[in-house]
Amino acid sequence: TTKALLERRDVIVVASVSCIYGLGKRKNYEDAIFRFSVGEEWNRRAFISRLMDNYYQRNDVSLSPGNFRSRGESMEIYPAYSDTAVRVTFFDDEIESIDEIEPVSGSRILSKDHMGIFPAQHYVTTSGAIEKAVTDIESELEQRTSELESSGKLLEAQRLKMRTKYDIEMLLEVGYCSGIENYSRFLDGRCPGDPPGTLMDFFPQDSLIFIDESHMT
């Protein structure tokens, strides 16, 4: 849905309350789109690094959504949001062709002059934002564990500390963790009470929106 809203004007979105779930900042998501064209020069290692920055994982055995594989002069990418995959063929360091392919058979569907690979997950952040956020997360963790311990909830305090420390390690190592939206206020630099980024931020200003009675609030 976010990809369609960023690329097209003829979009109809039918959404439940999920349209106000936190997705992270729209600008971070847009800035992370990996765009490349036929004829461009790309070092293979830099190309792979760019995909991994967008949370794609390398799997040279099985091609599945959110993965990519490298075979000889070609690289196949299976976007997390698509039913088709992309084959990028190189001649040395030059992109020779870009083909949309059927992911199982590998047969070509159509050729393209340029392509944009959207991130494999919505919540996109940077290493600088993570490093700054970790300090704030640790500060709040200390405050919350102290509150729990003073209330005699020692087990809850220990569980909270272990989970949060694990999440911090994951954020610092791979830039992502399960439930990353729980830390969105720190990662986005928002003040307490500020709303998070949602699907609504992706709609153009002249959108026509219908709200049914169950979601009037």
Side-chain angles (χ1 to χ4, degrees), residues 37-195:
S37 304
V38 172
E40 284 186 352
E41 297 274 340
W42 271 97
N43 174 274
R44 193 73 63 89
R45 189 179 296 273
F47 194 94
I48 289 174
S49 177
R50 189 70 177 79
L51 287 172
M52 296 182 74
D53 286 343
N54 271 9
Y55 308 101
Y56 283 84
Q57 298 181 348
R58 182 168 183 170
N59 187 333
D60 290 337
V61 178
S62 174
L63 189 62
S64 56
N67 290 343
F68 69 93
R69 65 186 177 193
S70 182
R71 291 183 168 181
E73 294 298 310
S74 68
M75 195 170 301
E76 295 176 346
I77 309 153
Y78 199 156
Y81 46 84
S82 178
D83 293 328
T84 59
V86 178
R87 179 185 294 128
V88 183
T89 305
F90 290 84
F91 181 75
D92 291 333
D93 285 342
E94 181 181 338
I95 296 178
E96 188 174 41
S97 64
I98 302 171
D99 297 315
E100 188 175 332
I101 63 171
E102 206 287 321
V104 177
S105 66
S107 59
R108 183 173 63 183
I109 299 172
L110 58 90
S111 295
K112 296 189 173 185
D113 293 327
H114 52 82
M115 173 63 65
I117 300 293
F118 285 65
Q121 53 100 352
H122 273 103
Y123 205 96
V124 178
T125 188
T126 63
S127 57
I130 289 173
E131 290 173 5
K132 183 178 185 305
V134 163
T135 302
D136 296 330
I137 293 169
E138 289 177 331
S139 176
E140 182 165 297
L141 173 63
E142 185 176 342
Q143 177 186 341
R144 290 293 297 136
T145 52
S146 295
E147 291 175 1
L148 290 169
E149 288 168 351
S150 64
S151 301
K153 298 179 179 180
L154 302 182
L155 180 60
E156 289 86 346
Q158 182 64 20
R159 284 177 174 171
L160 178 64
K161 184 178 294 186
M162 289 177 62
R163 174 58 191 266
T164 308
K165 289 291 186 182
Y166 175 77
D167 288 346
I168 288 174
E169 287 182 18
M170 290 294 292
L171 285 169
L172 291 172
E173 288 295 323
V174 300
Y176 187 75
C177 72
S178 177
I180 190 173
E181 63 276 1
N182 294 325
Y183 307 105
S184 64
R185 181 170 70 81
F186 304 106
L187 293 166
D188 292 347
R190 302 196 315 270
C191 295
D194 285 350

